[in-house]
Amino acid sequence: MAADIKIYNPDELGPPMGQYTHVTRVKASEFLFIAGMLSGDSKGNIIGAGDFDKQVTQVFSNVEAALKSAGASWANVVQFTTYLVHSQDIPRFMEFRLREFPKMFPNGKYPPNTLLMVDRLVQEPFLVEVQTIAAI
């Protein structure tokens, strides 16, 4: 049984303030909870130390690898939680989403995303972390 995922914006909430949707309604047989992904590679090396664009690209590559490991894809994603260390990186994050999300979500239905600013992540060089929930 494939997950029945409906992503939508209730009129009462107004338009989203970025590339995300307010609500995801899911009927699924299984959920996939992916830990916050950082910009590490398969050998544990930090990719893009000090370079937000390289880090965010690696982070989403890691999310995709985690999805694929469970036989899932971007179409199964029902929610993101994003952690940024510097508020100055918000425009770069939005640019990444504007460029990449139409490829990842060609139907134009972007999962809900909570964006949080944090003092730091698990190691000082990390600038961005993304936690993901998917339905299978």
Side-chain angles (χ1 to χ4, degrees), residues 51-108:
D51 185 328
F52 181 84
D53 295 324
K54 286 182 181 174
Q55 284 198 24
V56 74
T57 298
Q58 183 66 39
V59 164
F60 276 91
S61 177
N62 291 346
V63 170
E64 184 174 34
L67 290 166
K68 286 181 178 179
S69 77
S73 71
W74 295 116
N76 297 95
V77 174
V78 298
Q79 183 178 10
F80 290 119
T81 302
T82 304
Y83 304 89
L84 300 181
V85 175
H86 304 296
S87 61
Q88 297 88 339
D89 287 329
I90 293 172
R92 287 185 191 95
F93 179 63
M94 297 306 177
E95 287 171 18
F96 174 85
R97 290 170 62 102
L98 283 168
R99 183 180 68 248
E100 299 299 325
F101 271 31
K103 298 174 203 169
M104 295 158 62
F105 304 99
N107 65 1

